[in-house]
Each structure stands twice: as C-alpha cells, then as structure tokens.
Amino acid sequence: MKRRNAYIWIWLGMLIGLSSCSITKHLPEGETLYLGLKDISVQNEDETKAGQAALDEVKGAISIAPNNAIVTYPNIRFPIPFGLWVYNRFVRYEKGFGRWIFRKLAADPVYVSTVNPDTRAKVASNLLRDYGFFDGHVTYRVDSTKNPRAVKLSYDIDMGRPYYIDTLLYEGFAPLTDSLIHANMAGKLVRSGEHFNVNTLNEERQRIIDLLRDNGYYYARNDFITFLADTLMRPGYVTLKLVPEPNLPKEALRRYRLGNTSVYLTGYNGERPTDSLKLRDFTVHYAGEKPGLRFGVLRKRFIYRKGEMYSQTRQNYTQEALSRLGVFKFNEVQYLPRPDSDTLDVRVNAMFDLPYDSELELNVTTKSTKQTGPGAIFKLSKRNFRRMGASLNLELKGSYEWQTSSTVDGDKSVMNSYELGAALSLDFPRIVLPWVRDRIDPFRFPSETHFRIYAEQVNRARYFKMLSFGGSVSYSFQKSRSMKHTVTPVHLAFNHLQRRTPTFDSIALANPMLFRSLDDQFIPSISYTFTYDDSWRKRRLRLWWENSFTSAGNITSAIYAAFGRSFKEREKKFLGTPFAQFLKFTSEIRPLYYISEKQQLAGRLMAGVIWSYGNKTVAPYSEQFYVGGANSIRAFTVRSIGPGRFHPADNSAYSYVDETGDIKLEANVEYRFRLLSNMFGGNLNGAVFLDAGNVWLMREDEARPDAKFTFKHFFDNIALGTGVGIRYDLSFLVLRLDWGIALHVPYETGRSGYYNIPRFKDGQGLHFAIGYPF
C-alpha cells in the first residue's frame, strides 16, 4: 500500500510540475502559437446545395486544428495541453530519458507561420472561383489573447454571386470520335442551369477520356482535350466548349486492337523464366519443370481475346482478377505497340508470393460465468494449392478457463472448462461448380467459393461435454464495389452431448426448453446474406448494412415428406439424430459519420428473430441470440440480460446458459475523438457510448416467466448502459478498453424509478478487447 501511495504522489507531482509550465516559454524566436479559430463570418451566403458544398470546401481550407483540438470550429480544445507541457518542459534535452520522454509524448506546437493565414485566404478565394463564385474573396485578421505569444485567427468570407452553366458544346473532334461522344450523352455530367464547378468540368473531361480509352484509344489522355469558357455572351452564365488540343500526335487519334499475350512468371525467390508454354496467341513463360499456376486458371483471368478493341475497363478487370488469385506479390500489365500498326501486344510480369502464411492470435477472455482464462488461435495457409490459385487454410483454436472465485454456491471450482477446435477450409477466388464453367463471369463480379469442415469440443465444468462437427459450402460475389451477395447452399452441423453431470440433469428437469436446445441434434441449413458497404467512399457519412436469412431442416423435412412422412411429425431423425427446423433472419446497419479527421459518430442498429417449428420447436443453443459483452451492451457481461424481464436468482447455478432468446433488438451510438497523436507509434483515442437492447422468447416458458416478447412496457424491457473508453490505434491493430455503467435493467431489482441499479458498483462492466465494437 505504501508503494502504491508513493506512485500516486509521483504522478501527481509530475502532473503539477508539467501544469506549471508555460505553453509558449520555449517557442523559437519570432514564432507565435496558433490557438485556433475565433470566428468565421459569411456574407452573401448561397444556401443552395451547391453553394453549401463550396462553403464547406472553403471552411475546410481555413479550418486548421490547433494543439489538443477536439473540434476545429467552433474552437473547442482539450483543457489539459499535455503535449505542449511536455514540449516546453523537455525540449531542452538532447539525450537520455528526457529526450525519450520528449520524442514519445511531446506535441509540436502549431505556429501561425505554419498555418500561414495569408496563403490560406488566397487558396480559399481560389476555391470560391472554382465553384463559380468569381466575385468572391476571403480575408483574415489576427486576434490577440491574454498570452502575448499566442493568437487566434478570424476569417471573413464574401461569396459574391454565383455563375451558372449556359451550354456545353463538343467541337473539333474527328467524325468517329464525335459520334462516340454523342452516342453516350446520357452520362453527361455538366448540364445547363447548374452552378459552374471546376470539379464537375474535370469529371466530365475524365468521363470522355474513359469513354475513348474503353473504345480503343489507348493513348487518350486528359491533357489532350480542354475547355473554352465565355462569360460575356450571357451575364451571370458561362458558355463552354470541349475541344481537342491542336497538333495531337497521330497515336492519340488511332484506335488499337489487341494482339498476342505473354505472361512472365517469376518465382518467389526471384527465379527467372527458363521455359514457355504456348496455346495459340497466349504464352506463359515460367521457371522449373511446369508453370507455377495451371494454364487454364491463368488464361481465364484474361477476359479479352486477340483482335478485340483495347479497353481500359477490361484492363482493370484483368488486373483485379490476377490480384484476387492471391498468389502474386505483384503483377504488371504492359502494352507494346507494333511498329506502324494498330496492334498492341500484351506483356504481363508477375512474381509469386511466399507459398505459406501463418498467424498466431493470443487472448484472455472473461465471461459472465465468473470464468476467465487464456485462449489461442493458430492459422496456417498454403497459397496456390495444387497450382489452382486456391488457398488451403488450417485453423486450430483452444481456450482454458477457471473460476475467478474460490467457490461457487458452496462447491469448489473444477478447473476443467475448455474449448478445442480445428477447421480446414479451401478458398477459391472464383465460382467453382462442377456443371458451370464459363457461364459465370468471375471478372466483372469478384467472386469466391469457400469449402469448410470443422470440429469443436466444449467442456463446461460441472455441467456437460459437447462435440460439434460439420461442414459448409458457400459462394460470394459482388455486383458492384459496395454490394456483396453470399449464398450457402450446404451447411451441415452435428451437436452431440457426450457427457452430462447430475447438476446438469437437475437443470434440465427444471428447464426442459434449455435441455432441448442443448440435446443431440443435426442442423442442416441454407442461408443467404446481402452486405452493403460504402466505406471505401471518402465521404462524411458511410454505411454498412447486412441482412441474412437462414432456413434449417426444411429441405430435409421435404425429403421425408416425399417418402410419406408428415411435415408435422416430431422427432424425425437423420443418422439417428433429430434435426433442427427453424427460420432465422438478422439485419444490422452501421452508419459512421466523420465530423472531422479526428472525430467520428458511430452507430449500430441490430434486429434478429428465429422461429423454430416442426421437428424441433426449440432453436439450437448455438443459434439463439444474447446481449452483453465487449461488443454489445458494455455495461453488462455476456448473456447476463434477458430474455425479457426474466432474470435468474443470484444463486442460480445455470444462469450463464439461461439468458438467451429467439428475438433480439440492440442499438448503440458512440462518439469517438482523438486524445493524443503519434504516441509510441499510434494514436490514443477516446470514446463516449450509449448501448441499449434485450432478447426475448417467441413462446411462453414456465421456467422463465415474463420472457416472452410483448409490447407491454416495451421500453422498460430495454436494458440501457453508458460508459467511456479509450482506444490505442496502431493502424494495423486497435487495443480497446471500455468501462460500461448500467442505467437500467429490465427485471425487478427492488429499487423504484428508471435508474434501478441497486448499487453503483453492481452496474459496471470493464472490457478489454481488440478492434472496434462496430
């Protein structure tokens, strides 16, 4: 205790010592500290969508964050300038521990000279002109503060009046090019009556170049065409012409066709090709006795044929298809024009990646069962399995758990709870079906085929021992960059209860629905998942949305019906094991709004329902829903809430397997912000969050009263928690620590009012995890 108190006093002394430091005492001579924006005034504001877009760009150019900023404008700064304190206290050290502290914790002061308001005002004025506000301008002024060596800045924006597009004409192009442009006018981006915008003009020019390059004009470039503008013909409007530059080289005016293709495969150790294999116009050069990739697998990555017109889009698809094989460290496509000809020969240079890849993940878990313990996952991958461009993956995982308290309900803890699992999968970067070969285009729509078999054994101390094994086949493809479809036509799972204890038998007698969910069963299912993800778009609001539907046992039941067995018959078996029959649907949406580079507002809304019927009226335990934990409602541990208003007694021996349900609703919102940048090679971020949700049953259960879903007192049935957290972001790894604080539980606690947590310390959850919760 004395040592702990000593550490506390040392840290308090350091904090007091740092706080006594001036934030400007050791600034270089002639430099002034920038404290942020004081005011931004706007005159002649254009409130249209285009005008606001222009204003956002202008504000972005002048809104430079000062040290320890939380919000740039309005100027909100973290009250403790820790990084500046460290800078001024340790900047004089050139070596030793003081220099190490300076390098790791100091924040470089943001100077007015670095912000350079004069240049930024000019840049902002130019941005106004780019958006058609030709009369607009931006000025600035310096505002003094109490500290003579620290100032704030204010900007005055006068937008003036906007200019609009009158007409856009395409003139001076060759007849064939002119016909091509006018045949694709439906995609035109510049329209009469809209705001003049240089960005839109550049996008229209790029559209024309892309159109030409997709139709054989290999040498077409942006600088080969230009805009001519006139603002005098019609006041307030701009008349435009898009014309080719004069004296273009003859290659730019010629359409090219594709000739022969040669692929040079370099080994992962740098082995140069020594032999070749040719089939008509396609040649593979390789090292060794045979190509490192099967000829057919490689040839089908190229979607063009000899004699076809060159296309930029097909070139991109080909390179993406080669990259998706996952066997190359790099691949480069070159086009070689034949002298005095309109033919381009294709040369591809590719180098194989290392054949094996491995990964080891270690973790420590804490569960609501009062059990904690270490776990590990080891993954080993063999790239380019049997030269098919496929990946063979082996995954081994295990965890060991023991009770964190010495006794549980008077019984000493038995240290034999563990989980062991192994999975073998084979992944193809294309659709693999025995009767479908060339009918599915694997290039325009990125696709994957996933074969998997697995086995897992779970031993729960003093309760049961279960063996689960099975396999699946799934296909996924993308119609666009944002939309992904995944179909699993075959998923077979067997759950076998190998051993159960008298304690578990007593639980099963008191709660037969729980027993049936854990009993031996066969789970044959098919599923479909649709995922929308536009996070690749660099815009403020990004969205991830996934919907999944699963049907289990229905095809098997239909087969039984075909042989004269009734759909309604219970306990139909496959290989001596009853099979589950249910329908399951889940939907989860995650919006992410970027307030700024250092601030985000993240949300999640998740709903799920499972309906069991026919052969099994209780869903398998592994398929049921639960809430709580590091990625759910963080004020509570896993499976510690619900179903409904039900809550097992504190002395219940089976509460950890009891709080699951058939219906789930969950909502989360989290404000994320930067605390410290470049701290030990990463960024330290903070978070404030609010979580809510619960699970319910679809049917009445005498052993769990008030667990069935009902709209009566619906909001009182929702568990609510808040909290704060910190995240250490290393870009490739995020370490997260969250402290959840309970605000409301759906069951009776003996305390009245919405805040019904009996004691504050009873309503807390501390979670250490890897990655963001959503």
Side-chain angles (χ1 to χ4, degrees), residues 289-300:
E289 298 181 356
K290 52 186 177 181
L293 196 64
R294 294 189 181 186
F295 186 92
V297 172
L298 184 61
R299 180 67 184 94
K300 290 178 181 178

Side-chain angles (χ1 to χ4, degrees), residues 31 79 171 237 366 462 490 595 639 694 719 737:
E31 293 288 1
E171 295 183 354
Y237 287 81
T366 301
R462 301 186 297 117
V490 179
I595 302 172
R639 296 184 179 91
N694 202 350
L737 182 64

Side-chain angles (χ1 to χ4, degrees), residues 119-137:
T119 299
R120 294 197 176 275
K122 293 177 181 177
V123 169
S125 298
N126 290 334
L127 280 172
L128 283 175
R129 298 183 183 94
D130 288 345
Y131 278 87
F133 296 88
F134 298 146
D135 302 324
H137 61 272

Side-chain angles (χ1 to χ4, degrees), residues 2-20 80 82 85-86 90 97 100-101 105 676 679-680:
K2 292 182 179 179
R3 179 176 295 180
R4 181 181 177 185
N5 291 335
Y7 285 145
I8 294 175
W9 283 109
I10 290 173
W11 281 106
L12 285 176
M14 289 181 62
L15 186 62
I16 294 172
L18 287 173
S19 62
S20 64
I80 302 176
F82 183 80
W85 286 349
V86 174
F90 292 93
F97 182 71
W100 183 86
I101 289 288
L105 300 179
L676 292 173
M679 191 185 79
F680 303 104

Side-chain angles (χ1 to χ4, degrees), residues 739-761:
W739 175 36
I741 303 171
L743 300 177
H744 177 77
V745 290
Y747 51 86
E748 183 62 40
T749 64
R751 179 168 179 167
S752 61
Y754 187 78
Y755 180 79
N756 59 355
I757 311 302
R759 294 177 299 179
F760 179 77
K761 70 175 184 177

